[in-house]
Amino acid sequence: MVVNSGNANCATGDIGLMNAYRMTEFVAARLKLENELVLCSSTGIIGRQLPIEKIQKGVPEIELSQENGNAFSEAIMTTDTRPKRIALEFEIEGRTVRLGGVTKGAGMIFPNMATMLCYLTTDAALELKWMQTELHAAVSDSFNMVAMDGDMSTNDTCILLANGLAGNTPINEQHPEAGTLREALRCVTQYLAREMARDGEGATKLMTVHVRGARNKADAVKAARAVTVSPLWQCALAGGDPNWGRIVAALGASGCELDPNGYDIFLGEVQVAKQGMAAQYNQDDARQAMAGSEVTISVDLHLGEGMATAWGCDLTHGYIDENTMYTR
Amino acid sequence: MVVNSGNANCATGDIGLMNAYRMTEFVAARLKLENELVLCSSTGIIGRQLPIEKIQKGVPEIELSQENGNAFSEAIMTTDTRPKRIALEFEIEGRTVRLGGVTKGAGMIFPNMATMLCYLTTDAALELKWMQTELHAAVSDSFNMVAMDGDMSTNDTCILLANGLAGNTPINEQHPEAGTLREALRCVTQYLAREMARDGEGATKLMTVHVRGARNKADAVKAARAVTVSPLWQCALAGGDPNWGRIVAALGASGCELDPNGYDIFLGEVQVAKQGMAAQYNQDDARQAMAGSEVTISVDLHLGEGMATAWGCDLTHGYIDENTMYTR
């Protein structure tokens, strides 16, 4: 995989496409691989041609080392304030197996998939079809449940590479330990998703939104995402203002089925709305529930079994400062 | 019509509904009208019961006067920095006819209809069915094309009252001067829509987005609205940064049909993108086009005849300051 940061190579027409191919060719030549075995991603400013000569010159100079995973996680950052990475070690068929992941995030975050790049690697042997199904499922419940600003990105990528060096029987649906790898994948992607939300541009608070009781899963997803992406609620979150009416507005606008006299809302442990109206609660308790660096919002729609969790962050001056002069 | 500002009477259950009826009853009693002839709206914080005793006490004290139209336009403001009002005088059948309108806007602005209240009055005689059709069409091209923060409101209202005092033949589709009233309605609603966008919370710039060449009207509407509601583009606008790649991202995410090698984008008169790539332009010219208090973005998708215009504003610290402590 070859990744550049600072230029998205997007809205660059046929020249841009050719440059993307050239990037992979440089790396293939360096590593003596077929071109088709190299994948590439770009992230950064949209609408400018890649400085492809710089990349051509740079690729042979890259130092390759097993120790450089952390350097990679730092190199792909744009407005991220810190790298996001995780690695797990677990057992399959009594063998030690590893799954690692790095992402970049920060701005233009709205699922499908959000401006994010994610690279997952494992030494487990996986059957391709199963791997694709499981990756899709893991992404749906992690990166596609992170929202920050409602701006969908041009350059989303999530890649899972498995080299099989652990020597296990290739894992598929029938493999007795398929669940272990599934759980590891879920754990890694959800950790990275949360870290991405926590490090949103200008973010000071991580918001976790749990929706239950929705008519179905699709409704729960809509509802949870709508709350995370409401700028008015994000501002209230920044100010620690338990203005839960904005959650109501976001839920109502989400398109999920909603009984106006039927939903409950909790900020942390404090129930602020009951059956669609203000609950009896202490205002100081509600403020307290908004005060920390992690705030949980729970909504029960009391209509069915649909559940979903989404992650987001608050909206602050920092976001605006980051984005008023981005191309200067 | 009776309107209160400061409390949205939303998420207030059956008590809230009863209070809405009571508001109309107080006014009906004061004016010696049937209850059904009084309409009511509320705007403000969601999730608190109306202080209905205050309204009951206040209604008899309201001074009614033909001169108080301006006072009404000020009374309905919440975070608006100025009232929005306009009145036109024109002729139908040789008689002088008037059409006036007032709105409030400011935050939670996303069509369907946006947090807005709009009251239109005319002394023209209009046939009810024609009036409803024309009002709907006018709202579609004005208030429903204003976006600010993607937050849809709980409390949108647009009312057109016609008392027929001008004494003209009631206007319907066949009336030879129907076009005059239609044009007046279009003019009043679009003026108010633009003023609402210009006075968005924290706004320093009015943005007008013209889309043409879309596959159809629905696609043009999607595309134009997507640009106005992109927080990243709104931040760039605030900073005068001609980062048009964010327009591309918004167009791509809008769901409109788009040829990645086919669209043109102009900031004011400056063409920044041509056939999906950076055009040859002077960076200072592009900055100049972003510098004023009104910025126009024109997009040609080169796919068909669909056209639409949407209005919005920039995203600044002011928006955040307005919204972090709204309920305190």
Side-chain angles (χ1 to χ4, degrees), chain B residues 39 99 120-139 158-164 170-173 178 181-182 185:
Chain B
L39 301 170
L99 174 68
L120 304 164
T121 54
T122 179
D123 55 2
L126 308 179
E127 271 194 14
L128 183 61
K129 198 183 150 205
W130 182 81
M131 184 171 160
Q132 181 63 44
T133 306
E134 293 300 323
L135 178 61
H136 191 272
V139 165
C158 181
I159 292 171
L160 169 58
L161 299 179
N163 66 10
I171 299 174
N172 60 20
E173 192 60 38
L181 205 113
R182 180 180 295 127
L185 198 55

PDB file of all heavy atoms in Angstrom, chain B residues 39 99 120-139 158-164 170-173 178 181-182 185:
ATOM      1  N   LEU B  39     -55.015  31.181  14.272  1.00  0.00           N
ATOM      2  CA  LEU B  39     -53.910  30.236  14.074  1.00  0.00           C
ATOM      3  C   LEU B  39     -52.805  30.573  15.068  1.00  0.00           C
ATOM      4  O   LEU B  39     -52.643  31.750  15.431  1.00  0.00           O
ATOM      5  CB  LEU B  39     -53.369  30.364  12.656  1.00  0.00           C
ATOM      6  CG  LEU B  39     -54.397  30.097  11.544  1.00  0.00           C
ATOM      7  CD1 LEU B  39     -53.821  30.493  10.191  1.00  0.00           C
ATOM      8  CD2 LEU B  39     -54.834  28.642  11.546  1.00  0.00           C
ATOM      9  N   LEU B  99     -49.353  43.150  -0.796  1.00  0.00           N
ATOM     10  CA  LEU B  99     -48.908  41.855  -0.266  1.00  0.00           C
ATOM     11  C   LEU B  99     -47.729  42.128   0.654  1.00  0.00           C
ATOM     12  O   LEU B  99     -46.747  42.745   0.243  1.00  0.00           O
ATOM     13  CB  LEU B  99     -48.474  40.912  -1.396  1.00  0.00           C
ATOM     14  CG  LEU B  99     -47.849  39.582  -0.942  1.00  0.00           C
ATOM     15  CD1 LEU B  99     -48.871  38.682  -0.249  1.00  0.00           C
ATOM     16  CD2 LEU B  99     -47.235  38.840  -2.125  1.00  0.00           C
ATOM     17  N   LEU B 120     -47.709  35.894   5.670  1.00  0.00           N
ATOM     18  CA  LEU B 120     -47.947  36.701   4.481  1.00  0.00           C
ATOM     19  C   LEU B 120     -49.399  37.166   4.527  1.00  0.00           C
ATOM     20  O   LEU B 120     -50.297  36.374   4.851  1.00  0.00           O
ATOM     21  CB  LEU B 120     -47.724  35.860   3.226  1.00  0.00           C
ATOM     22  CG  LEU B 120     -46.346  35.196   3.095  1.00  0.00           C
ATOM     23  CD1 LEU B 120     -46.368  34.094   2.043  1.00  0.00           C
ATOM     24  CD2 LEU B 120     -45.293  36.248   2.742  1.00  0.00           C
ATOM     25  N   THR B 121     -49.620  38.421   4.219  1.00  0.00           N
ATOM     26  CA  THR B 121     -50.998  38.930   4.203  1.00  0.00           C
ATOM     27  C   THR B 121     -51.220  39.730   2.930  1.00  0.00           C
ATOM     28  O   THR B 121     -50.315  40.420   2.446  1.00  0.00           O
ATOM     29  CB  THR B 121     -51.279  39.858   5.413  1.00  0.00           C
ATOM     30  OG1 THR B 121     -50.287  40.889   5.433  1.00  0.00           O
ATOM     31  CG2 THR B 121     -51.245  39.101   6.721  1.00  0.00           C
ATOM     32  N   THR B 122     -52.425  39.622   2.407  1.00  0.00           N
ATOM     33  CA  THR B 122     -52.772  40.421   1.232  1.00  0.00           C
ATOM     34  C   THR B 122     -54.237  40.829   1.331  1.00  0.00           C
ATOM     35  O   THR B 122     -55.039  40.119   1.964  1.00  0.00           O
ATOM     36  CB  THR B 122     -52.524  39.644  -0.085  1.00  0.00           C
ATOM     37  OG1 THR B 122     -52.902  40.473  -1.189  1.00  0.00           O
ATOM     38  CG2 THR B 122     -53.318  38.348  -0.137  1.00  0.00           C
ATOM     39  N   ASP B 123     -54.548  41.967   0.734  1.00  0.00           N
ATOM     40  CA  ASP B 123     -55.957  42.363   0.679  1.00  0.00           C
ATOM     41  C   ASP B 123     -56.587  41.961  -0.653  1.00  0.00           C
ATOM     42  O   ASP B 123     -57.742  42.271  -0.924  1.00  0.00           O
ATOM     43  CB  ASP B 123     -56.129  43.869   0.950  1.00  0.00           C
ATOM     44  CG  ASP B 123     -55.303  44.731   0.014  1.00  0.00           C
ATOM     45  OD1 ASP B 123     -54.621  44.174  -0.879  1.00  0.00           O
ATOM     46  OD2 ASP B 123     -55.334  45.974   0.166  1.00  0.00           O
ATOM     47  N   ALA B 124     -55.827  41.233  -1.469  1.00  0.00           N
ATOM     48  CA  ALA B 124     -56.406  40.702  -2.708  1.00  0.00           C
ATOM     49  C   ALA B 124     -57.393  39.586  -2.366  1.00  0.00           C
ATOM     50  O   ALA B 124     -57.261  38.919  -1.342  1.00  0.00           O
ATOM     51  CB  ALA B 124     -55.303  40.151  -3.611  1.00  0.00           C
ATOM     52  N   ALA B 125     -58.394  39.412  -3.236  1.00  0.00           N
ATOM     53  CA  ALA B 125     -59.284  38.256  -3.111  1.00  0.00           C
ATOM     54  C   ALA B 125     -58.664  37.107  -3.914  1.00  0.00           C
ATOM     55  O   ALA B 125     -58.304  37.288  -5.082  1.00  0.00           O
ATOM     56  CB  ALA B 125     -60.674  38.598  -3.660  1.00  0.00           C
ATOM     57  N   LEU B 126     -58.490  35.951  -3.272  1.00  0.00           N
ATOM     58  CA  LEU B 126     -57.850  34.797  -3.924  1.00  0.00           C
ATOM     59  C   LEU B 126     -58.743  33.572  -3.738  1.00  0.00           C
ATOM     60  O   LEU B 126     -59.329  33.391  -2.672  1.00  0.00           O
ATOM     61  CB  LEU B 126     -56.492  34.495  -3.271  1.00  0.00           C
ATOM     62  CG  LEU B 126     -55.488  35.633  -3.134  1.00  0.00           C
ATOM     63  CD1 LEU B 126     -54.227  35.122  -2.445  1.00  0.00           C
ATOM     64  CD2 LEU B 126     -55.144  36.229  -4.494  1.00  0.00           C
ATOM     65  N   GLU B 127     -58.821  32.745  -4.769  1.00  0.00           N
ATOM     66  CA  GLU B 127     -59.538  31.475  -4.588  1.00  0.00           C
ATOM     67  C   GLU B 127     -58.650  30.525  -3.798  1.00  0.00           C
ATOM     68  O   GLU B 127     -57.456  30.397  -4.070  1.00  0.00           O
ATOM     69  CB  GLU B 127     -59.900  30.854  -5.942  1.00  0.00           C
ATOM     70  CG  GLU B 127     -61.231  31.345  -6.439  1.00  0.00           C
ATOM     71  CD  GLU B 127     -61.767  30.511  -7.598  1.00  0.00           C
ATOM     72  OE1 GLU B 127     -61.233  29.393  -7.832  1.00  0.00           O
ATOM     73  OE2 GLU B 127     -62.687  30.993  -8.271  1.00  0.00           O
ATOM     74  N   LEU B 128     -59.260  29.853  -2.821  1.00  0.00           N
ATOM     75  CA  LEU B 128     -58.492  29.076  -1.850  1.00  0.00           C
ATOM     76  C   LEU B 128     -57.568  28.042  -2.508  1.00  0.00           C
ATOM     77  O   LEU B 128     -56.387  27.946  -2.158  1.00  0.00           O
ATOM     78  CB  LEU B 128     -59.450  28.373  -0.884  1.00  0.00           C
ATOM     79  CG  LEU B 128     -58.751  27.585   0.234  1.00  0.00           C
ATOM     80  CD1 LEU B 128     -57.909  28.488   1.109  1.00  0.00           C
ATOM     81  CD2 LEU B 128     -59.778  26.836   1.069  1.00  0.00           C
ATOM     82  N   LYS B 129     -58.083  27.298  -3.466  1.00  0.00           N
ATOM     83  CA  LYS B 129     -57.309  26.203  -4.035  1.00  0.00           C
ATOM     84  C   LYS B 129     -56.082  26.749  -4.787  1.00  0.00           C
ATOM     85  O   LYS B 129     -54.972  26.235  -4.664  1.00  0.00           O
ATOM     86  CB  LYS B 129     -58.184  25.375  -4.987  1.00  0.00           C
ATOM     87  CG  LYS B 129     -57.610  24.006  -5.266  1.00  0.00           C
ATOM     88  CD  LYS B 129     -58.458  23.226  -6.258  1.00  0.00           C
ATOM     89  CE  LYS B 129     -57.564  22.291  -7.053  1.00  0.00           C
ATOM     90  NZ  LYS B 129     -58.125  21.961  -8.352  1.00  0.00           N
ATOM     91  N   TRP B 130     -56.319  27.819  -5.555  1.00  0.00           N
ATOM     92  CA  TRP B 130     -55.232  28.446  -6.314  1.00  0.00           C
ATOM     93  C   TRP B 130     -54.166  28.990  -5.366  1.00  0.00           C
ATOM     94  O   TRP B 130     -52.956  28.845  -5.556  1.00  0.00           O
ATOM     95  CB  TRP B 130     -55.807  29.564  -7.199  1.00  0.00           C
ATOM     96  CG  TRP B 130     -54.776  30.231  -8.052  1.00  0.00           C
ATOM     97  CD1 TRP B 130     -54.290  29.770  -9.235  1.00  0.00           C
ATOM     98  CD2 TRP B 130     -54.101  31.461  -7.774  1.00  0.00           C
ATOM     99  NE1 TRP B 130     -53.353  30.645  -9.724  1.00  0.00           N
ATOM    100  CE2 TRP B 130     -53.213  31.690  -8.850  1.00  0.00           C
ATOM    101  CE3 TRP B 130     -54.158  32.388  -6.730  1.00  0.00           C
ATOM    102  CZ2 TRP B 130     -52.388  32.812  -8.909  1.00  0.00           C
ATOM    103  CZ3 TRP B 130     -53.346  33.504  -6.788  1.00  0.00           C
ATOM    104  CH2 TRP B 130     -52.457  33.707  -7.867  1.00  0.00           C
ATOM    105  N   MET B 131     -54.652  29.599  -4.305  1.00  0.00           N
ATOM    106  CA  MET B 131     -53.787  30.215  -3.288  1.00  0.00           C
ATOM    107  C   MET B 131     -52.859  29.183  -2.656  1.00  0.00           C
ATOM    108  O   MET B 131     -51.664  29.404  -2.491  1.00  0.00           O
ATOM    109  CB  MET B 131     -54.750  30.790  -2.244  1.00  0.00           C
ATOM    110  CG  MET B 131     -54.192  31.567  -1.135  1.00  0.00           C
ATOM    111  SD  MET B 131     -55.654  32.294  -0.273  1.00  0.00           S
ATOM    112  CE  MET B 131     -54.895  32.636   1.309  1.00  0.00           C
ATOM    113  N   GLN B 132     -53.417  28.020  -2.349  1.00  0.00           N
ATOM    114  CA  GLN B 132     -52.621  26.969  -1.716  1.00  0.00           C
ATOM    115  C   GLN B 132     -51.548  26.453  -2.690  1.00  0.00           C
ATOM    116  O   GLN B 132     -50.393  26.266  -2.309  1.00  0.00           O
ATOM    117  CB  GLN B 132     -53.544  25.818  -1.277  1.00  0.00           C
ATOM    118  CG  GLN B 132     -52.822  24.668  -0.585  1.00  0.00           C
ATOM    119  CD  GLN B 132     -52.156  25.089   0.725  1.00  0.00           C
ATOM    120  OE1 GLN B 132     -52.754  25.812   1.526  1.00  0.00           O
ATOM    121  NE2 GLN B 132     -50.919  24.675   0.937  1.00  0.00           N
ATOM    122  N   THR B 133     -51.942  26.268  -3.947  1.00  0.00           N
ATOM    123  CA  THR B 133     -50.998  25.795  -4.965  1.00  0.00           C
ATOM    124  C   THR B 133     -49.859  26.796  -5.151  1.00  0.00           C
ATOM    125  O   THR B 133     -48.681  26.432  -5.211  1.00  0.00           O
ATOM    126  CB  THR B 133     -51.729  25.618  -6.317  1.00  0.00           C
ATOM    127  OG1 THR B 133     -52.849  24.763  -6.110  1.00  0.00           O
ATOM    128  CG2 THR B 133     -50.811  25.017  -7.376  1.00  0.00           C
ATOM    129  N   GLU B 134     -50.217  28.058  -5.242  1.00  0.00           N
ATOM    130  CA  GLU B 134     -49.212  29.096  -5.481  1.00  0.00           C
ATOM    131  C   GLU B 134     -48.305  29.289  -4.268  1.00  0.00           C
ATOM    132  O   GLU B 134     -47.109  29.528  -4.406  1.00  0.00           O
ATOM    133  CB  GLU B 134     -49.896  30.423  -5.840  1.00  0.00           C
ATOM    134  CG  GLU B 134     -50.612  30.394  -7.175  1.00  0.00           C
ATOM    135  CD  GLU B 134     -49.671  30.088  -8.345  1.00  0.00           C
ATOM    136  OE1 GLU B 134     -48.517  30.558  -8.323  1.00  0.00           O
ATOM    137  OE2 GLU B 134     -50.096  29.360  -9.254  1.00  0.00           O
ATOM    138  N   LEU B 135     -48.882  29.202  -3.076  1.00  0.00           N
ATOM    139  CA  LEU B 135     -48.067  29.347  -1.867  1.00  0.00           C
ATOM    140  C   LEU B 135     -47.053  28.202  -1.808  1.00  0.00           C
ATOM    141  O   LEU B 135     -45.866  28.417  -1.534  1.00  0.00           O
ATOM    142  CB  LEU B 135     -48.951  29.328  -0.617  1.00  0.00           C
ATOM    143  CG  LEU B 135     -48.190  29.430   0.713  1.00  0.00           C
ATOM    144  CD1 LEU B 135     -47.408  30.735   0.813  1.00  0.00           C
ATOM    145  CD2 LEU B 135     -49.147  29.304   1.904  1.00  0.00           C
ATOM    146  N   HIS B 136     -47.512  27.018  -2.101  1.00  0.00           N
ATOM    147  CA  HIS B 136     -46.637  25.851  -2.083  1.00  0.00           C
ATOM    148  C   HIS B 136     -45.478  26.024  -3.073  1.00  0.00           C
ATOM    149  O   HIS B 136     -44.310  25.776  -2.749  1.00  0.00           O
ATOM    150  CB  HIS B 136     -47.448  24.598  -2.413  1.00  0.00           C
ATOM    151  CG  HIS B 136     -46.696  23.333  -2.173  1.00  0.00           C
ATOM    152  ND1 HIS B 136     -45.889  22.757  -3.127  1.00  0.00           N
ATOM    153  CD2 HIS B 136     -46.589  22.556  -1.077  1.00  0.00           C
ATOM    154  CE1 HIS B 136     -45.335  21.667  -2.629  1.00  0.00           C
ATOM    155  NE2 HIS B 136     -45.742  21.516  -1.389  1.00  0.00           N
ATOM    156  N   ALA B 137     -45.802  26.493  -4.264  1.00  0.00           N
ATOM    157  CA  ALA B 137     -44.766  26.691  -5.289  1.00  0.00           C
ATOM    158  C   ALA B 137     -43.773  27.774  -4.845  1.00  0.00           C
ATOM    159  O   ALA B 137     -42.551  27.620  -4.997  1.00  0.00           O
ATOM    160  CB  ALA B 137     -45.417  27.076  -6.615  1.00  0.00           C
ATOM    161  N   ALA B 138     -44.289  28.853  -4.287  1.00  0.00           N
ATOM    162  CA  ALA B 138     -43.415  29.951  -3.856  1.00  0.00           C
ATOM    163  C   ALA B 138     -42.496  29.504  -2.720  1.00  0.00           C
ATOM    164  O   ALA B 138     -41.300  29.825  -2.697  1.00  0.00           O
ATOM    165  CB  ALA B 138     -44.259  31.154  -3.428  1.00  0.00           C
ATOM    166  N   VAL B 139     -43.040  28.731  -1.779  1.00  0.00           N
ATOM    167  CA  VAL B 139     -42.244  28.244  -0.645  1.00  0.00           C
ATOM    168  C   VAL B 139     -41.149  27.280  -1.141  1.00  0.00           C
ATOM    169  O   VAL B 139     -40.014  27.321  -0.669  1.00  0.00           O
ATOM    170  CB  VAL B 139     -43.151  27.567   0.408  1.00  0.00           C
ATOM    171  CG1 VAL B 139     -42.338  26.748   1.400  1.00  0.00           C
ATOM    172  CG2 VAL B 139     -43.968  28.625   1.148  1.00  0.00           C
ATOM    173  N   CYS B 158     -45.627  28.562   7.496  1.00  0.00           N
ATOM    174  CA  CYS B 158     -45.796  29.643   6.543  1.00  0.00           C
ATOM    175  C   CYS B 158     -47.286  29.785   6.269  1.00  0.00           C
ATOM    176  O   CYS B 158     -47.944  28.824   5.854  1.00  0.00           O
ATOM    177  CB  CYS B 158     -45.035  29.370   5.246  1.00  0.00           C
ATOM    178  SG  CYS B 158     -45.219  30.715   4.055  1.00  0.00           S
ATOM    179  N   ILE B 159     -47.795  30.962   6.555  1.00  0.00           N
ATOM    180  CA  ILE B 159     -49.237  31.207   6.446  1.00  0.00           C
ATOM    181  C   ILE B 159     -49.473  32.368   5.484  1.00  0.00           C
ATOM    182  O   ILE B 159     -48.782  33.387   5.560  1.00  0.00           O
ATOM    183  CB  ILE B 159     -49.830  31.550   7.836  1.00  0.00           C
ATOM    184  CG1 ILE B 159     -49.778  30.313   8.741  1.00  0.00           C
ATOM    185  CG2 ILE B 159     -51.249  32.084   7.717  1.00  0.00           C
ATOM    186  CD1 ILE B 159     -50.127  30.610  10.193  1.00  0.00           C
ATOM    187  N   LEU B 160     -50.430  32.190   4.606  1.00  0.00           N
ATOM    188  CA  LEU B 160     -50.850  33.288   3.721  1.00  0.00           C
ATOM    189  C   LEU B 160     -52.317  33.580   4.007  1.00  0.00           C
ATOM    190  O   LEU B 160     -53.161  32.692   3.897  1.00  0.00           O
ATOM    191  CB  LEU B 160     -50.655  32.878   2.253  1.00  0.00           C
ATOM    192  CG  LEU B 160     -51.271  33.788   1.185  1.00  0.00           C
ATOM    193  CD1 LEU B 160     -50.752  35.226   1.280  1.00  0.00           C
ATOM    194  CD2 LEU B 160     -51.004  33.231  -0.218  1.00  0.00           C
ATOM    195  N   LEU B 161     -52.598  34.803   4.401  1.00  0.00           N
ATOM    196  CA  LEU B 161     -53.978  35.229   4.661  1.00  0.00           C
ATOM    197  C   LEU B 161     -54.392  36.240   3.592  1.00  0.00           C
ATOM    198  O   LEU B 161     -53.634  37.159   3.277  1.00  0.00           O
ATOM    199  CB  LEU B 161     -54.085  35.897   6.039  1.00  0.00           C
ATOM    200  CG  LEU B 161     -53.724  35.066   7.268  1.00  0.00           C
ATOM    201  CD1 LEU B 161     -53.867  35.918   8.542  1.00  0.00           C
ATOM    202  CD2 LEU B 161     -54.596  33.820   7.366  1.00  0.00           C
ATOM    203  N   ALA B 162     -55.572  36.071   3.067  1.00  0.00           N
ATOM    204  CA  ALA B 162     -56.083  37.016   2.060  1.00  0.00           C
ATOM    205  C   ALA B 162     -57.485  37.433   2.488  1.00  0.00           C
ATOM    206  O   ALA B 162     -58.367  36.570   2.613  1.00  0.00           O
ATOM    207  CB  ALA B 162     -56.117  36.343   0.690  1.00  0.00           C
ATOM    208  N   ASN B 163     -57.685  38.719   2.747  1.00  0.00           N
ATOM    209  CA  ASN B 163     -59.004  39.118   3.262  1.00  0.00           C
ATOM    210  C   ASN B 163     -59.955  39.664   2.192  1.00  0.00           C
ATOM    211  O   ASN B 163     -61.117  39.956   2.469  1.00  0.00           O
ATOM    212  CB  ASN B 163     -58.862  40.107   4.425  1.00  0.00           C
ATOM    213  CG  ASN B 163     -58.264  41.436   3.989  1.00  0.00           C
ATOM    214  OD1 ASN B 163     -58.113  41.705   2.785  1.00  0.00           O
ATOM    215  ND2 ASN B 163     -57.921  42.269   4.967  1.00  0.00           N
ATOM    216  N   GLY B 164     -59.466  39.821   0.953  1.00  0.00           N
ATOM    217  CA  GLY B 164     -60.346  40.213  -0.145  1.00  0.00           C
ATOM    218  C   GLY B 164     -60.813  41.655  -0.136  1.00  0.00           C
ATOM    219  O   GLY B 164     -61.645  42.057  -0.969  1.00  0.00           O
ATOM    220  N   PRO B 170     -62.094  37.198  -7.393  1.00  0.00           N
ATOM    221  CA  PRO B 170     -61.160  36.251  -6.779  1.00  0.00           C
ATOM    222  C   PRO B 170     -60.243  35.607  -7.825  1.00  0.00           C
ATOM    223  O   PRO B 170     -60.716  35.157  -8.869  1.00  0.00           O
ATOM    224  CB  PRO B 170     -62.084  35.223  -6.121  1.00  0.00           C
ATOM    225  CG  PRO B 170     -63.313  36.008  -5.791  1.00  0.00           C
ATOM    226  CD  PRO B 170     -63.483  36.986  -6.925  1.00  0.00           C
ATOM    227  N   ILE B 171     -58.957  35.609  -7.524  1.00  0.00           N
ATOM    228  CA  ILE B 171     -57.972  35.150  -8.510  1.00  0.00           C
ATOM    229  C   ILE B 171     -57.854  33.631  -8.498  1.00  0.00           C
ATOM    230  O   ILE B 171     -57.742  33.019  -7.436  1.00  0.00           O
ATOM    231  CB  ILE B 171     -56.593  35.790  -8.224  1.00  0.00           C
ATOM    232  CG1 ILE B 171     -56.714  37.319  -8.327  1.00  0.00           C
ATOM    233  CG2 ILE B 171     -55.527  35.265  -9.188  1.00  0.00           C
ATOM    234  CD1 ILE B 171     -55.474  38.063  -7.935  1.00  0.00           C
ATOM    235  N   ASN B 172     -57.898  33.056  -9.678  1.00  0.00           N
ATOM    236  CA  ASN B 172     -57.598  31.630  -9.848  1.00  0.00           C
ATOM    237  C   ASN B 172     -56.736  31.486 -11.096  1.00  0.00           C
ATOM    238  O   ASN B 172     -56.310  32.489 -11.685  1.00  0.00           O
ATOM    239  CB  ASN B 172     -58.881  30.799  -9.920  1.00  0.00           C
ATOM    240  CG  ASN B 172     -59.750  31.227 -11.098  1.00  0.00           C
ATOM    241  OD1 ASN B 172     -59.268  31.864 -12.053  1.00  0.00           O
ATOM    242  ND2 ASN B 172     -61.021  30.899 -11.029  1.00  0.00           N
ATOM    243  N   GLU B 173     -56.497  30.269 -11.516  1.00  0.00           N
ATOM    244  CA  GLU B 173     -55.600  30.018 -12.636  1.00  0.00           C
ATOM    245  C   GLU B 173     -56.023  30.749 -13.913  1.00  0.00           C
ATOM    246  O   GLU B 173     -55.180  31.174 -14.716  1.00  0.00           O
ATOM    247  CB  GLU B 173     -55.539  28.501 -12.885  1.00  0.00           C
ATOM    248  CG  GLU B 173     -54.438  28.038 -13.821  1.00  0.00           C
ATOM    249  CD  GLU B 173     -53.038  28.394 -13.331  1.00  0.00           C
ATOM    250  OE1 GLU B 173     -52.780  28.320 -12.119  1.00  0.00           O
ATOM    251  OE2 GLU B 173     -52.199  28.774 -14.179  1.00  0.00           O
ATOM    252  N   ALA B 178     -53.484  36.674 -12.880  1.00  0.00           N
ATOM    253  CA  ALA B 178     -52.940  35.715 -11.896  1.00  0.00           C
ATOM    254  C   ALA B 178     -51.411  35.829 -11.830  1.00  0.00           C
ATOM    255  O   ALA B 178     -50.804  35.736 -10.755  1.00  0.00           O
ATOM    256  CB  ALA B 178     -53.341  34.284 -12.254  1.00  0.00           C
ATOM    257  N   LEU B 181     -49.982  38.417  -9.315  1.00  0.00           N
ATOM    258  CA  LEU B 181     -49.946  38.016  -7.914  1.00  0.00           C
ATOM    259  C   LEU B 181     -48.893  36.935  -7.680  1.00  0.00           C
ATOM    260  O   LEU B 181     -48.186  36.939  -6.675  1.00  0.00           O
ATOM    261  CB  LEU B 181     -51.309  37.542  -7.424  1.00  0.00           C
ATOM    262  CG  LEU B 181     -51.347  37.761  -5.902  1.00  0.00           C
ATOM    263  CD1 LEU B 181     -52.342  38.813  -5.518  1.00  0.00           C
ATOM    264  CD2 LEU B 181     -51.469  36.505  -5.143  1.00  0.00           C
ATOM    265  N   ARG B 182     -48.779  36.037  -8.643  1.00  0.00           N
ATOM    266  CA  ARG B 182     -47.766  34.980  -8.532  1.00  0.00           C
ATOM    267  C   ARG B 182     -46.363  35.590  -8.423  1.00  0.00           C
ATOM    268  O   ARG B 182     -45.552  35.191  -7.588  1.00  0.00           O
ATOM    269  CB  ARG B 182     -47.842  34.068  -9.759  1.00  0.00           C
ATOM    270  CG  ARG B 182     -46.833  32.934  -9.764  1.00  0.00           C
ATOM    271  CD  ARG B 182     -46.965  32.059 -11.015  1.00  0.00           C
ATOM    272  NE  ARG B 182     -48.244  31.380 -11.049  1.00  0.00           N
ATOM    273  CZ  ARG B 182     -49.095  31.413 -12.077  1.00  0.00           C
ATOM    274  NH1 ARG B 182     -48.805  32.095 -13.173  1.00  0.00           N
ATOM    275  NH2 ARG B 182     -50.234  30.768 -12.014  1.00  0.00           N
ATOM    276  N   LEU B 185     -45.816  37.211  -5.051  1.00  0.00           N
ATOM    277  CA  LEU B 185     -45.602  36.196  -4.024  1.00  0.00           C
ATOM    278  C   LEU B 185     -44.168  35.654  -4.106  1.00  0.00           C
ATOM    279  O   LEU B 185     -43.493  35.460  -3.093  1.00  0.00           O
ATOM    280  CB  LEU B 185     -46.616  35.060  -4.251  1.00  0.00           C
ATOM    281  CG  LEU B 185     -46.894  34.099  -3.107  1.00  0.00           C
ATOM    282  CD1 LEU B 185     -47.321  34.825  -1.847  1.00  0.00           C
ATOM    283  CD2 LEU B 185     -48.002  33.110  -3.526  1.00  0.00           C
TER     284      LEU B 185
END
